[in-house]
Amino acid sequence: MKTNQSKSAAVIRHYWAKLPPSVHQFLKFGMVGAINTILSYLITNMCYYVIHLHEQICNLISFLITVLISYLLNSRFVFQGKEASQQPWYRALAKVYASYALTELVLMGLLLYVQERLLGIPHFIATFLNLCITVPLNFLLNKFWAYAHNGKRTE
């Protein structure tokens, strides 16, 4: 007789198999993002409280490390299409850095300025709202640009 845990796993596998490949990718992308969020928090605070670096330097170090980790995990587990492997790794990595720089540094900065300074939205709400914009945008930029070769999408 199956245990409750194995029944639950079977139900999850059943529904996972019914999801379109793009939804699989988005969910895996979100898991990589969750890992990177935790790492970013740890790296930033370690640099600030343990090494005593300036907060912007801490953010830069965290950004550089977590985007590299994002590239490594996403290229291995999320965007594995044959088109992705046709371009040199350094080109895909540069595109990943560019897309995260655009969304996390430029867009997030602009959105936070408008939301907090002009609209008076509290920071903890504004950052959550921005995740609803930047996560799907990062996914699309990665899927259709960073990991695509010659504009072809990956599956």
Side-chain angles (χ1 to χ4, degrees):
M1 187 162 138
K2 289 187 175 182
T3 66
N4 284 339
Q5 188 176 13
S6 62
K7 286 180 186 177
S8 298
V11 169
I12 291 170
R13 279 193 301 276
H14 171 76
Y15 285 107
W16 180 263
K18 290 183 177 232
L19 294 173
S22 291
V23 174
H24 287 179
Q25 281 185 320
F26 184 73
L27 293 173
K28 289 178 185 178
F29 184 81
M31 287 186 256
V32 169
I35 291 167
N36 270 329
T37 299
I38 294 166
L39 286 174
S40 176
Y41 179 80
L42 294 172
I43 292 166
T44 301
N45 284 293
M46 184 193 72
C47 288
Y48 187 75
Y49 290 109
V50 177
I51 305 174
H52 305 292
L53 297 175
H54 186 276
E55 62 265 12
Q56 294 304 328
I57 300 297
C58 298
N59 286 335
L60 177 63
I61 291 169
S62 174
F63 175 80
L64 293 172
I65 292 170
T66 57
V67 172
L68 176 61
I69 291 168
S70 176
Y71 165 76
L72 294 171
L73 292 175
N74 282 322
S75 63
R76 171 103 171 133
F77 300 111
V78 181
F79 303 107
Q80 305 164 337
K82 59 184 176 182
E83 294 92 350
S85 63
Q86 291 177 357
Q87 67 178 325
W89 66 268
Y90 54 85
R91 182 172 293 148
L93 179 59
K95 289 178 178 180
V96 169
Y97 271 107
S99 56
Y100 280 103
L102 174 70
T103 59
E104 300 302 320
L105 301 177
V106 176
L107 180 60
M108 184 75 83
L110 291 171
L111 289 172
L112 285 174
Y113 177 81
V114 169
Q115 292 164 329
E116 293 177 20
R117 299 280 191 312
L118 302 179
L119 302 176
I121 297 172
H123 181 75
F124 72 96
I125 294 173
T127 53
F128 176 76
L129 292 174
N130 291 343
L131 287 176
C132 297
I133 296 168
T134 59
V135 170
L137 183 57
N138 276 326
F139 175 74
L140 293 172
L141 284 170
N142 277 272
K143 180 174 178 66
F144 295 109
W145 182 59
Y147 291 98
H149 182 65
N150 294 334
K152 295 177 188 172
R153 61 178 231 172
T154 62
E155 282 297 334

